Amino acid sequence: MDLPFTERDIQYAENFLAQGDMGTALPLLLALRDEAEEYIDAECQTTDDTQFFSFADTFERLAYRRVEKDPRTLVQVGAPFDRLYSDLAFAYIRQQEYVLARDALMQAVRWNPMNCNYRLDLAELFRALGNTQEWAALSASVIERASDPTAGGRAYANLGQFFLDEDNLAAAVGCARLALNSAGGDARTTRLMGRLNSERPEWQEIEDAEALATLAEQGISVSPNAEIAVCLLMCASDAAAEGDRDEATRLTVRARNLVGEPAAKALIKLIRESDAELAQEQASSGAEAGDVREAGEDDHA
């Protein structure tokens, strides 16, 4: 069965979205959704061994494998189903159809679970619909998947407001300080700081150690996920090996921005040492050199 639509079809509908023409955009998106779901029913059936996704790139695919530890075969579909559902959610939001928007964004996350913007937008919809527990859970899920500091900072800002509502001041302060470090100019962080200053001015008396320890007790990571940085650097190494120095540089810079220069350098050193050990093992067993990186990571390509 042929793919139901192309990226050009999506862009056509998005032009009307950008213009605010919901009367044209929404019917176009709904037609694409119906075609997509017919295709999904016929060609993308999930099994115990196989799952289908529409990741944006090989980094997201690798990151999903390492973060989720999903043992199934991951099949990349040739159409951006996640983008379609995200656009549809945006159109529903413009019409204040928040339940329909939530359901559409849940599908966007299903098709690309590594897209943190989808998760943050979905979290806001759950909050608007009164489900603050799911708002907090989705925000927390961003921290372990974020590949840029801003997404993580926005997640901390959400959690800071949640903990403030729960009267857990130390946890709220920990989130606020982490949000300031990585997304200080974001509106979410500004709202959180405004609330702390007006509602709990004593927040400044709480020491960093106490605030971060309280967050850890709540099961909230207080640092970016090093696995995400490793994935960025592995993909950067592959890009360099293929001669794409611009892409290699871009991915390396993303890793450095996420975890900092010293940590990135240490991870690069570990990756190179691991590659050298694998190369030596493969050479001694007569394996082809081109299969070195695939050893133990069959989805990284």
Side-chain angles (χ1 to χ4, degrees), residues 171-222:
V173 170
C175 287
R177 289 175 178 160
L178 290 167
L180 282 170
N181 286 339
S182 53
D186 189 80
R188 290 176 175 86
T189 305
T190 300
R191 285 195 296 270
L192 173 59
M193 297 310 301
R195 286 192 62 192
L196 282 171
N197 288 325
S198 63
E199 298 174 24
R200 303 295 297 271
E202 72 274 19
W203 72 269
Q204 297 182 59
E205 301 171 8
I206 296 176
E207 299 290 337
D208 284 348
E210 178 188 351
L212 296 181
T214 304
L215 271 186
E217 290 171 2
Q218 295 292 324
I220 305 299
S221 175
V222 298

Side-chain angles (χ1 to χ4, degrees), residues 22-234:
M22 297 300 110
T24 303
L26 186 54
L28 286 172
L29 290 168
L30 288 172
L32 292 177
R33 182 205 61 186
D34 291 345
E35 294 174 9
E37 293 185 350
E38 181 180 355
Y39 178 87
I40 291 166
D41 287 342
E43 303 290 341
C44 304
Q45 287 299 306
T46 298
T47 69
D48 291 340
D49 302 316
T50 305
Q51 180 61 296
F52 297 80
F53 294 103
S54 55
F55 296 118
D57 51 35
T58 54
F59 156 70
E60 287 187 345
R61 179 186 175 97
L62 176 62
Y64 173 83
R65 174 71 84 191
R66 293 181 71 101
V67 170
E68 303 288 352
K69 297 179 174 56
D70 190 338
R72 295 173 295 182
T73 298
L74 310 182
V75 179
Q76 175 73 16
V77 297
F81 292 143
D82 61 315
R83 186 168 157 188
L84 168 62
Y85 284 109
S86 176
D87 288 342
L88 188 56
F90 179 76
Y92 282 138
I93 289 171
R94 292 289 297 270
Q95 296 193 327
Q96 299 184 348
E97 295 280 2
Y98 298 126
V99 172
L100 293 175
R102 177 202 62 192
D103 294 345
L105 264 179
M106 288 176 69
Q107 286 300 309
V109 171
R110 174 262 172 271
W111 282 100
N112 187 352
M114 300 310 296
N115 188 306
C116 290
N117 288 328
Y118 295 162
R119 287 177 179 269
L120 288 167
D121 290 344
L122 181 57
E124 291 304 316
L125 282 168
F126 271 108
R127 185 188 188 191
L129 291 168
N131 190 337
T132 56
Q133 291 294 327
E134 194 63 30
W135 169 55
L138 278 163
S139 298
S141 77
V142 168
I143 295 169
E144 63 179 326
R145 293 168 177 83
S147 60
D148 69 88
T150 300
R154 289 171 176 167
Y156 282 124
N158 285 353
L159 288 167
Q161 296 226 45
F162 174 79
F163 286 125
L164 195 55
D165 291 339
E166 294 289 306
D167 201 29
N168 188 336
L169 182 59
V173 170
C175 287
R177 289 175 178 160
L178 290 167
L180 282 170
N181 286 339
S182 53
D186 189 80
R188 290 176 175 86
T189 305
T190 300
R191 285 195 296 270
L192 173 59
M193 297 310 301
R195 286 192 62 192
L196 282 171
N197 288 325
S198 63
E199 298 174 24
R200 303 295 297 271
E202 72 274 19
W203 72 269
Q204 297 182 59
E205 301 171 8
I206 296 176
E207 299 290 337
D208 284 348
E210 178 188 351
L212 296 181
T214 304
L215 271 186
E217 290 171 2
Q218 295 292 324
I220 305 299
S221 175
V222 298
S223 61
N225 188 348
E227 285 285 356
I228 296 295
V230 167
C231 293
L232 287 166
L233 292 169
M234 290 175 74

